[in-house]
Amino acid sequence: MSSMMQQGVQAPSRLQQAGQWMQRHGSTIRAIQWVVVAVYAFLILVPAVMPLPDGSAHLWNNLTLAAQFVFWGIWWPFVLLSMVMLGRVWCGVLCPEGALTEFASRFGRGRAIPHWMRWGGWPFVAFGLTTIYGQMVSVYQYPKAVLLVLGGSTVAAMIIGALYGREKRVWCKYLCPVNGVFSLLARLAPFHYKVNEDAWRRSYTKGEHGHRVIPINCAPLVPLRNMKGASDCHMCGRCSGHRDAIALSWRSPAEEVVNLGDKAANPWDTALILYGLLGVAIGAFHWTVSTWFVDLKQIFAGWLIDHDILWPLDATAPWFLFTHYPEQNDVFSWLDGTMVIGYIIATGLVYGTALLALLAAGAGMLGAWDTKRLHHLALALIPIAGVGVFLGLSATTVSLLRAEHVPLGWVTGLRLGLLAGANVWSAWLAWRVTGRYATNLGPRALSMLWFVAALAVADSAWYLMFWGFSR
Ligand code: SF4
């Protein structure tokens, strides 16, 4: 019950009631988490010990294909979508890794969090390395690679849980490879757990519902009193009603980016948006369809043959380093594998740097140079970055459905609609951000010209992916 209600001013909204329901039904949420853990374990363990599907296998009669569809066709794209629509409810209510790391931390050593783990660059580095490694071993195609990448991450989460913190999610807060991406997308969510500072102060003398304040265990270590946005909160609901000061509340989807972005923006978020989501991730989606990749490979292979250096053309790398499934006619030579890594990194550098230059020019239009302003403006690209990753991941969904002859004539229209919506959303956020730094329309309009050019660069990646490379 909120403090406002206690004073008889206002009944709790439906949304507040939903938060309170989650607070009261923690054990139900925990039970749901264990069901998800069981399904997740089944889907990553069982296909890894089964034979690979042959040409007659279908989604509905082959567990490996079904698991591939569930993980990469549904789970991943829709988890990303859920971040924008519901905040990090996935993390707090459904994520098996979060549940397992917290469980391990209940019985573990409870050590203090080491200094190295608090480094702000982990979300970017972990995302980049996982994305590249996933492509090296073809994680979207092969169950052994899924077991290695997802299972490895889960084991690491449990080890970190067993070593550090007590009933905490230290892994999620500092090392999870997608924590940074989730934290960016959740800033667009239309609701969050809001802290009423007056009510919090009042609780020092009046307590909670007139009683002693009951301490809250916020597993992802959010500093409750100072919580302003939704980026770090896992939406588990445990703190709903805490000190009569915290309640699930509606907000404008622009609020966190526009109003809090100046204080929250930092170089690692900018790196993750520009070089991660709009760079390395694009490279990971592009290389399988890129005609440039094929042309470059032929040039390098020809050069190696001309110089009688033949070992890079051998496919002797083990499957956990580079894709190696001879029975599927799918093997990477050392040249293939190195080129995949190089192509993804080069794409990341080209796109990231082009976008950085355009944003810097846009930020420069708003007055004397201030790096904070650049980082703030970069946050306005979150919608286009998020939609891009959704489109890239859902390309796997589309190709799996196409193999089953599902009619997909509507996909192009949907892709264009999503891209158009994300462009408008990003431009609107950027316009609002420019308004924080300049009141005159002239500098704001000039800044927007550069920002729209940045949007065009981001869009070019999707033009190439879905239309350009297929010519
Ligand atoms: S702030 Fe912490 S306790 Fe409160 S809902 Fe978010 S994750 Fe749960």
Short mmCIF file of all heavy atoms in Angstrom, two decimals, residues 193 216 218 220 222 224 227 233-239, ligand 1:
data_model
loop_
_atom_site.label_atom_id
_atom_site.label_comp_id
_atom_site.label_asym_id
_atom_site.label_seq_id
_atom_site.Cartn_x
_atom_site.Cartn_y
_atom_site.Cartn_z
N TYR A 193 9.72 0.74 -11.19
CA TYR A 193 9.49 0.88 -9.75
C TYR A 193 10.00 2.26 -9.34
O TYR A 193 11.19 2.54 -9.40
CB TYR A 193 10.19 -0.25 -8.97
CG TYR A 193 9.37 -1.51 -9.02
CD1 TYR A 193 9.63 -2.49 -9.96
CD2 TYR A 193 8.29 -1.69 -8.17
CE1 TYR A 193 8.84 -3.64 -10.04
CE2 TYR A 193 7.49 -2.82 -8.24
CZ TYR A 193 7.77 -3.79 -9.17
OH TYR A 193 6.98 -4.90 -9.25
N ILE A 216 14.80 -5.31 2.58
CA ILE A 216 14.55 -5.96 1.29
C ILE A 216 15.88 -6.49 0.74
O ILE A 216 16.90 -5.82 0.80
CB ILE A 216 14.01 -4.91 0.28
CG1 ILE A 216 12.62 -4.46 0.68
CG2 ILE A 216 14.00 -5.44 -1.15
CD1 ILE A 216 11.58 -5.52 0.56
N CYS A 218 17.43 -6.90 -2.50
CA CYS A 218 17.39 -6.66 -3.95
C CYS A 218 18.54 -7.43 -4.56
O CYS A 218 19.70 -7.02 -4.46
CB CYS A 218 17.51 -5.16 -4.26
SG CYS A 218 17.66 -4.86 -6.03
N PRO A 220 19.78 -7.97 -7.63
CA PRO A 220 20.75 -7.36 -8.55
C PRO A 220 21.40 -6.08 -7.99
O PRO A 220 21.97 -5.29 -8.75
CB PRO A 220 19.93 -7.07 -9.80
CG PRO A 220 18.54 -6.95 -9.34
CD PRO A 220 18.39 -7.80 -8.12
N VAL A 222 20.47 -3.17 -6.66
CA VAL A 222 20.09 -1.80 -7.03
C VAL A 222 20.04 -0.97 -5.74
O VAL A 222 19.44 -1.40 -4.76
CB VAL A 222 18.68 -1.78 -7.69
CG1 VAL A 222 18.30 -0.36 -8.10
CG2 VAL A 222 18.65 -2.71 -8.89
N LEU A 224 18.29 1.01 -3.68
CA LEU A 224 16.85 1.31 -3.78
C LEU A 224 16.52 2.78 -3.60
O LEU A 224 15.76 3.35 -4.37
CB LEU A 224 16.09 0.48 -2.74
CG LEU A 224 16.09 -1.03 -2.96
CD1 LEU A 224 15.25 -1.71 -1.89
CD2 LEU A 224 15.57 -1.39 -4.33
N MET A 227 17.21 4.80 -6.62
CA MET A 227 16.81 4.26 -7.92
C MET A 227 15.95 5.29 -8.68
O MET A 227 14.96 5.78 -8.17
CB MET A 227 16.01 2.97 -7.69
CG MET A 227 15.44 2.38 -8.95
SD MET A 227 14.84 0.71 -8.68
CE MET A 227 13.48 0.99 -7.52
N CYS A 233 17.06 -2.44 -12.66
CA CYS A 233 16.06 -3.18 -11.87
C CYS A 233 15.57 -4.41 -12.63
O CYS A 233 15.23 -4.31 -13.80
CB CYS A 233 14.89 -2.23 -11.57
SG CYS A 233 13.41 -3.07 -11.02
N HIS A 234 15.54 -5.55 -11.97
CA HIS A 234 15.06 -6.79 -12.60
C HIS A 234 13.56 -6.99 -12.47
O HIS A 234 13.05 -8.06 -12.78
CB HIS A 234 15.80 -8.00 -12.01
CG HIS A 234 17.22 -8.13 -12.48
ND1 HIS A 234 17.94 -9.28 -12.40
CD2 HIS A 234 18.05 -7.21 -13.06
CE1 HIS A 234 19.15 -9.10 -12.90
NE2 HIS A 234 19.25 -7.85 -13.29
N MET A 235 12.86 -6.00 -11.95
CA MET A 235 11.39 -6.02 -11.88
C MET A 235 10.86 -7.25 -11.14
O MET A 235 9.83 -7.81 -11.51
CB MET A 235 10.79 -6.00 -13.30
CG MET A 235 11.24 -4.85 -14.14
SD MET A 235 10.54 -3.27 -13.64
CE MET A 235 8.95 -3.33 -14.40
N CYS A 236 11.58 -7.68 -10.11
CA CYS A 236 11.13 -8.88 -9.39
C CYS A 236 9.96 -8.57 -8.47
O CYS A 236 9.28 -9.47 -8.00
CB CYS A 236 12.28 -9.47 -8.59
SG CYS A 236 12.77 -8.44 -7.19
N GLY A 237 9.76 -7.28 -8.16
CA GLY A 237 8.62 -6.88 -7.34
C GLY A 237 8.86 -6.96 -5.84
O GLY A 237 8.01 -6.56 -5.06
N ARG A 238 10.03 -7.46 -5.42
CA ARG A 238 10.23 -7.64 -3.97
C ARG A 238 10.15 -6.33 -3.20
O ARG A 238 9.77 -6.32 -2.04
CB ARG A 238 11.62 -8.25 -3.72
CG ARG A 238 11.66 -9.73 -3.95
CD ARG A 238 13.05 -10.26 -3.68
NE ARG A 238 13.43 -11.17 -4.75
CZ ARG A 238 14.58 -11.80 -4.81
NH1 ARG A 238 15.48 -11.64 -3.88
NH2 ARG A 238 14.83 -12.61 -5.80
N CYS A 239 10.55 -5.22 -3.84
CA CYS A 239 10.59 -3.97 -3.08
C CYS A 239 9.29 -3.18 -3.21
O CYS A 239 9.19 -2.08 -2.65
CB CYS A 239 11.76 -3.11 -3.53
SG CYS A 239 11.61 -2.56 -5.24
S1 SF4 B 1 14.74 -2.68 -7.40
FE1 SF4 B 1 15.53 -4.71 -6.88
S2 SF4 B 1 14.02 -5.54 -5.44
FE2 SF4 B 1 13.02 -3.82 -6.46
S3 SF4 B 1 11.93 -4.73 -8.20
FE3 SF4 B 1 13.93 -4.07 -8.95
S4 SF4 B 1 15.22 -5.87 -8.77
FE4 SF4 B 1 13.43 -6.27 -7.48
#
